[in-house]
């Protein structure tokens, strides 16, 4: 099954909050089978459900280990909407 995910990360720290966001996106981009589209407000992932969910499980866990005071906002769509947003 193909899905799309719109994800935003909000590290709750006053200084240096940009780098954890960039690091999170860079970690997601290491998965070659997932199409990733960045914009100013969020990042979209497009691809196979199982691969994306495993990737998110691992990378969100890594962020929470480093920055437990972080917030993720996710929107999931049950098909691949790349280019349709």
């Amino acid at each position: 099954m193909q899905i799309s995910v719109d994800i935003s990360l909000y590290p709750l720290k006053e200084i240096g909050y940009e780098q954890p966001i960039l690091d999170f996106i860079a970690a997601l981009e290491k998965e070659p089978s997932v199409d990733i589209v960045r914009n100013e407000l969020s990042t979209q992932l497009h691809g196979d459900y199982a691969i994306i969910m495993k990737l998110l499980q691992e990378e969100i866990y890594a962020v929470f280990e480093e920055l437990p005071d972080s917030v993720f906002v996710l929107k999931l769509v049950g098909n691949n909407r790349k280019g349709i947003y």
Side-chain angles (χ1 to χ4, degrees), residues 23-40:
D23 293 344
F24 175 70
I25 295 169
L28 296 176
E29 289 175 334
K30 290 180 181 176
E31 175 53 59
S33 67
V34 175
D35 291 320
I36 298 177
V37 179
R38 298 181 186 201
N39 68 41
E40 295 81 21

Side-chain angles (χ1 to χ4, degrees), residues 19-82:
Q19 195 58 52
I21 296 168
L22 296 172
D23 293 344
F24 175 70
I25 295 169
L28 296 176
E29 289 175 334
K30 290 180 181 176
E31 175 53 59
S33 67
V34 175
D35 291 320
I36 298 177
V37 179
R38 298 181 186 201
N39 68 41
E40 295 81 21
L41 300 176
S42 64
T43 301
Q44 289 88 40
L45 288 70
H46 309 278
D48 182 77
Y49 174 87
I51 293 170
I52 288 176
M53 296 308 285
K54 182 175 185 284
L55 178 64
L56 289 176
Q57 178 183 356
E58 293 168 358
E59 298 307 330
I60 290 173
Y61 185 88
V63 170
F64 283 153
E65 280 193 317
E66 289 290 316
L67 297 166
D69 292 327
S70 295
V71 174
F72 283 92
V73 176
L74 291 100
K75 294 179 261 181
L76 290 88
V77 180
N79 58 43
N80 189 328
R81 297 192 46 90
K82 185 177 180 187

